[in-house]
Amino acid sequence: ADADAAAKEAAKAPEFTFTDTQRAEVTEKVATLTKPVTVTFATASSELSKRAQQVIDTELVPVLDAMGSAYFSVEGNTDATGARAANVALSRQRAQAVVDYLVKQWEFPAERFVVRGNGPDKARCNERSPSTEGVDLEGCRAMNRRTDVAVYSR
């Protein structure tokens, strides 16, 4: 490559580029993979704790690295406690906090991510009947306070 200027310049180019237009097109399709990632937050907070950062580092970053050309949807979810509108906003802030961390700490391109806030709408556990999941009400609510990541292949 040192002897060939064109090859040297081509080697500098990133392997994949990410655009808003392509992200919009790709994320309209069915996800290739969905990975539930349990990132916990303090009540009414969207600030990532050190434990939450550790979960992202160990459970999510390897998937993002392995799927180098993919786009990702990061979806925040909440339990049903409180007003729905506030939960939707909070769930979006939490998903955005995960993306912000990935962009700032791990230098992933922001264009790879779509941020969504589901509030309590995509519950994993029915809070009206938590025993069906073998947990008490607080355990059920904890199951619903999570972040899901969907992978969209090109």
Side-chain angles (χ1 to χ4, degrees), residues 14 18-19 28 58 60 72 78 88-89 93 97 114 126 153:
F18 300 93
T19 66
E28 288 299 315
T58 59
L60 190 52
F72 299 89
T78 65
V88 170
Q93 291 166 357
V114 173
N126 181 349
S153 299

Side-chain angles (χ1 to χ4, degrees), residues 122-135:
K122 291 190 175 180
R124 183 173 291 151
C125 180
N126 181 349
E127 293 177 33
R128 293 182 187 158
S129 182
S131 62
T132 60
E133 294 292 331
V135 295

Side-chain angles (χ1 to χ4, degrees), residues 38-94:
T38 305
V39 177
T40 58
F41 293 88
T43 301
S45 173
S46 61
E47 185 175 336
L48 289 174
S49 67
K50 292 293 182 190
R51 179 173 296 285
Q53 291 174 4
Q54 182 181 24
V55 168
I56 293 167
D57 294 347
T58 59
E59 293 185 31
L60 190 52
V61 169
V63 174
L64 272 66
D65 278 338
M67 308 285 291
S69 68
Y71 287 87
F72 299 89
S73 171
V74 179
E75 299 187 10
N77 300 278
T78 65
D79 61 33
T81 304
R84 184 186 177 286
N87 280 335
V88 170
L90 179 60
S91 64
R92 181 167 172 65
Q93 291 166 357
R94 288 174 172 175

Side-chain angles (χ1 to χ4, degrees), residues 98-137:
V98 171
V99 170
D100 289 347
Y101 177 78
L102 290 166
V103 169
K104 290 176 186 163
Q105 184 69 29
W106 289 95
E107 300 177 351
F108 288 108
E111 296 80 17
R112 290 183 77 181
F113 301 98
V114 173
V115 174
R116 295 186 175 119
N118 299 325
D121 297 343
K122 291 190 175 180
R124 183 173 291 151
C125 180
N126 181 349
E127 293 177 33
R128 293 182 187 158
S129 182
S131 62
T132 60
E133 294 292 331
V135 295
D136 63 8
L137 180 58

